[in-house]
Amino acid sequence: MSTQLALMGARRFLPLFAAQTLGAFNDNLFKSAFIMLVTYGVAMRGGFDPGAIAAIAGAALIAPFFLFSAVAGELADRFERARLL
């Protein structure tokens, strides 16, 4: 097995790939459901536009990943890996 795609055919790696795929699906499903619940709950109580509230809720969930990934990259480039861990 010389390529990375050949690993998917190996029996010992199949449970790991399946668990990763199902975990990502589960995470995205619950994030989407949470955004929808927040959006319509706020829109019903406050009389706001659901589209605007959905954009704000989505941005609130994505913004930390966007902001801190650059900081983490800078730290990884600047310091030794053992020191960071």
Side-chain angles (χ1 to χ4, degrees):
M1 290 189 218
S2 61
T3 65
Q4 291 178 353
L5 292 177
L7 286 175
M8 293 186 78
R11 245 185 128 131
R12 63 184 177 173
F13 289 111
L14 184 62
L16 298 174
F17 290 130
Q20 183 67 29
T21 302
L22 292 174
F25 173 74
N26 187 26
D27 188 38
N28 289 331
L29 178 73
F30 283 111
K31 276 185 190 175
S32 298
F34 177 72
I35 289 173
M36 287 177 15
L37 286 173
V38 167
T39 300
Y40 291 111
V42 170
M44 291 288 225
R45 289 186 184 171
F48 297 110
D49 178 33
I53 301 296
I56 292 170
L61 288 174
I62 293 172
F65 296 109
F66 178 73
L67 294 173
F68 296 128
S69 64
V71 173
E74 284 290 322
L75 289 174
D77 287 342
R78 189 171 297 169
F79 296 111
E80 196 176 320
R81 182 179 291 175
R83 186 175 172 192
L84 288 174
L85 292 177

